[in-house]
Amino acid sequence: MENLKLEKFSTGYANNFIIKSINLSLKNGEWLGVIGPNGSGKSTLIKGICRIIKPFQGNIYLKEKEISRYTNKLISQTVAFLPQQFNANMQITVKELVALGRSPYKSFWEFDLSKTDNEKINEALNLVDIYDFKDNLITQISGGQRQRAYLALALAQDPEILILDEPTTALDLKYQIKFLEIIKKLKEKKGLSIIT
């Protein structure tokens, strides 16, 4: 089954077509890598798929239905996105950060975490091997640990599709390899469809 499909998809900025008429499909459990030199449109494609920027033309299908037929909440329960850069200065703990991944399952007036929420948060922390740092502030951990904490946030959404925009850019080689090994393990263990 195709979890995600683009048909004649075009996007860009201020009517400047950077991505032109792309056809793409991502099957259940597949890992798709988007490669190219700096400035070739990799991040623009990712942002277009995630609807951070608007498509100019074409269609996006999520689980074989046009994405416009889904609510934002349902999309967030199905697709998790880890951007290239994120706020590293928040004065919250690693666990509080990861708990934000449960937002798509809450009404805006719900503040308490359920038993299921806590289970998903702890599972995500363990999957990326950062459980022991759960009570540390985000500002008190290394760049590699922070990257894994944000990955745990995405995993706490319990998505079927994980989209990562250059997830190893700020990491040294050792942590790049470790991070990619974690992604591979997640794909195998949870059957995620992944775009990097």
Side-chain angles (χ1 to χ4, degrees):
M1 179 177 144
E2 291 173 332
N3 270 352
L4 184 73
K5 184 177 179 181
L6 306 185
E7 276 186 356
K8 297 181 179 175
F9 180 79
S10 301
T11 191
Y13 304 94
N15 295 320
N16 179 17
F17 280 65
I18 295 172
I19 301 300
K20 297 175 189 170
S21 200
I22 294 276
N23 293 312
L24 173 146
S25 68
L26 180 70
K27 293 181 176 61
N28 191 22
E30 185 176 22
W31 185 348
L32 175 69
V34 180
I35 60 171
N38 288 344
S40 62
K42 299 182 303 291
S43 292
T44 301
L45 174 62
I46 296 285
K47 288 176 184 173
I49 291 170
C50 293
R51 302 182 328 147
I52 294 167
I53 57 175
K54 291 175 85 173
F56 295 152
Q57 297 172 343
N59 297 309
I60 303 175
Y61 296 92
L62 186 59
K63 296 168 74 173
E64 301 183 352
K65 273 175 38 180
E66 197 163 336
I67 202 165
S68 61
R69 296 176 62 194
Y70 289 88
T71 64
N72 286 336
K73 189 171 189 170
L74 193 54
I75 293 169
S76 296
Q77 291 173 0
T78 309
V79 180
F81 170 61
L82 186 65
Q84 235 180 92
Q85 299 172 333
F86 32 71
N87 188 347
N89 298 315
M90 293 187 290
Q91 293 300 308
I92 61 174
T93 66
V94 169
K95 185 170 183 179
E96 289 168 338
L97 174 77
V98 176
L100 295 174
R102 300 304 298 162
S103 299
Y105 300 90
K106 302 286 195 189
S107 298
F108 72 89
W109 61 83
E110 285 184 278
F111 299 108
D112 295 330
L113 296 172
S114 68
K115 182 181 176 202
T116 300
D117 293 330
N118 279 305
E119 286 170 356
K120 295 292 182 185
I121 291 163
N122 289 332
E123 179 188 25
L125 289 164
N126 280 310
L127 281 168
V128 301
D129 195 25
I130 200 163
Y131 184 85
D132 292 344
F133 299 94
K134 70 182 188 310
D135 297 321
N136 290 54
L137 291 174
I138 288 294
T139 54
Q140 295 173 332
I141 59 176
S142 72
Q145 291 165 338
R146 196 174 301 128
Q147 194 89 338
R148 285 186 281 147
Y150 275 90
L151 177 58
L153 182 158
L155 295 175
Q157 283 178 237
D158 201 22
E160 294 176 43
I161 302 168
L162 183 59
I163 300 177
L164 309 161
D165 188 5
E166 298 193 28
T168 61
T169 300
L171 303 178
D172 64 35
L173 185 58
K174 174 184 167 188
Y175 287 108
Q176 286 182 25
I177 292 167
K178 183 167 185 164
F179 192 86
L180 292 172
E181 284 172 348
I182 289 169
I183 300 293
K184 183 180 177 189
K185 181 175 80 174
L186 289 169
K187 179 188 163 299
E188 291 165 357
K189 185 171 182 174
K190 296 187 75 69
L192 292 175
S193 299
I194 301 169
I195 299 178
T196 49

